[in-house]
Amino acid sequence: FVNSPGELTAVVEFPPGATPKSTDFRLLIDDRQVASARETQDQRLNLMFLVDVSGSMRGAPLNDIKSALPKFLKTTRPQDQFALTLFGDEDRLESSFEQPRDKFEAALEKAQPRGKQTKLYQALYNTLKQKDDPATRRIIVVLTDGQDEGSDVRFDDVVAESRARLVPIYAVFRGKTDAKPFQDVLSGLGYAANGTYFPTRSEDEIATALDRIYRL
């Protein structure tokens, strides 16, 4: 990423098990070293939460999410930022990274089921297309029952965009326990997009999943 004239930020993704040090890296231009890497501690995280508010989330699934997320926020570092997008027939950014956390919680508290479709892939794709801040690590966490309906983009489009932008997607399933085909979709999405997948059945299990994602 070229931030401004004279400044460059590079993001390097490692395979599992690799633990290189900053001293293992050099920036070369025309085979000449122009800079060496340095350690940056406590890099800020930008976590975008996509919460499904379609009709199928009515009742316990959405209520569990609305209870678990505020509790999770209280355990996070002060330098990290959080944003909230609600999606169903359409996706709407309800709280941005620049806004205080109480705005996030207020928007989540007001969330109600709406619409007849679940444009899961469209919401993810639109979120991935948002401008990056190269000084942060951006992560997407989607909480849904996993059924996509009516999106103009496909599963493969979302995965390709996630990989191109180095933004992993972590998928948390909360819906009917017998909805295995939808769980399979989320499992495939999470692992294909360099994140992972968590099936949950309660508020406590959602909280545990969020804690594990944050630690990762």
Side-chain angles (χ1 to χ4, degrees):
F1 304 93
V2 177
N3 307 327
S4 60
E7 294 185 4
L8 180 72
T9 299
V11 178
V12 182
E13 185 175 18
F14 304 119
T19 55
K21 300 177 181 178
S22 62
T23 52
D24 295 329
F25 294 90
R26 299 287 187 275
L27 176 62
L28 306 178
I29 297 179
D30 295 332
D31 293 328
R32 295 180 57 190
Q33 181 176 327
V34 296
S36 58
R38 69 179 188 275
E39 291 286 348
T40 301
Q41 299 295 329
D42 297 327
Q43 181 187 34
R44 190 173 81 234
L45 298 176
N46 279 4
L47 277 76
M48 168 63 79
F49 288 95
L50 270 65
V51 176
D52 185 350
V53 292
S54 63
S56 60
M57 297 291 290
R58 188 181 305 276
L62 183 56
N63 290 338
D64 285 347
I65 292 170
K66 291 170 67 173
S67 297
L69 263 175
K71 293 178 182 178
F72 163 75
L73 291 179
K74 290 180 173 60
T75 69
T76 57
R77 305 180 305 176
Q79 68 263 39
D80 294 333
Q81 295 181 322
F82 305 89
L84 175 67
T85 292
L86 303 179
F87 70 95
D89 288 341
E90 60 180 4
D91 52 283
R92 272 201 316 253
L93 179 66
E94 302 287 348
S95 176
S96 67
F97 292 119
E98 294 76 23
Q99 293 175 311
R101 297 188 186 189
D102 56 2
K103 168 69 173 176
F104 181 110
E105 295 187 24
L108 181 65
E109 177 61 29
K110 294 178 182 177
Q112 296 295 329
R114 63 172 186 249
K116 298 180 179 179
Q117 290 184 309
T118 308
K119 295 187 178 181
L120 170 63
Y121 300 154
Q122 194 70 56
L124 286 166
Y125 190 79
N126 291 345
T127 299
L128 286 164
K129 282 292 188 179
Q130 294 174 9
K131 186 177 180 181
D132 279 324
D133 177 357
T136 66
R137 176 68 166 146
R138 188 157 67 106
I139 295 167
I140 293 175
V141 180
V142 58
L143 300 104
T144 176
D145 61 8
Q147 182 178 11
D148 178 85
E149 298 172 312
S151 291
D152 293 330
V153 295
R154 303 169 302 165
F155 177 97
D156 292 345
D157 298 323
V158 173
V159 171
E161 195 68 22
S162 168
R163 291 178 175 178
R165 292 180 177 267
L166 297 178
V167 177
I169 297 172
Y170 291 88
V172 179
F173 173 88
R174 177 62 180 100
K176 296 179 180 178
T177 56
D178 60 349
K180 189 177 186 305
F182 307 147
Q183 294 187 54
D184 290 344
V185 168
L186 283 184
S187 175
L189 175 67
Y191 290 112
N194 295 322
T196 188
Y197 161 73
F198 296 90
T200 67
R201 296 169 295 178
S202 67
E203 173 189 335
D204 288 343
E205 290 185 3
I206 294 172
T208 298
L210 296 177
D211 181 67
R212 289 183 61 189
I213 291 168
Y214 190 61
R215 292 177 183 278
L216 286 171

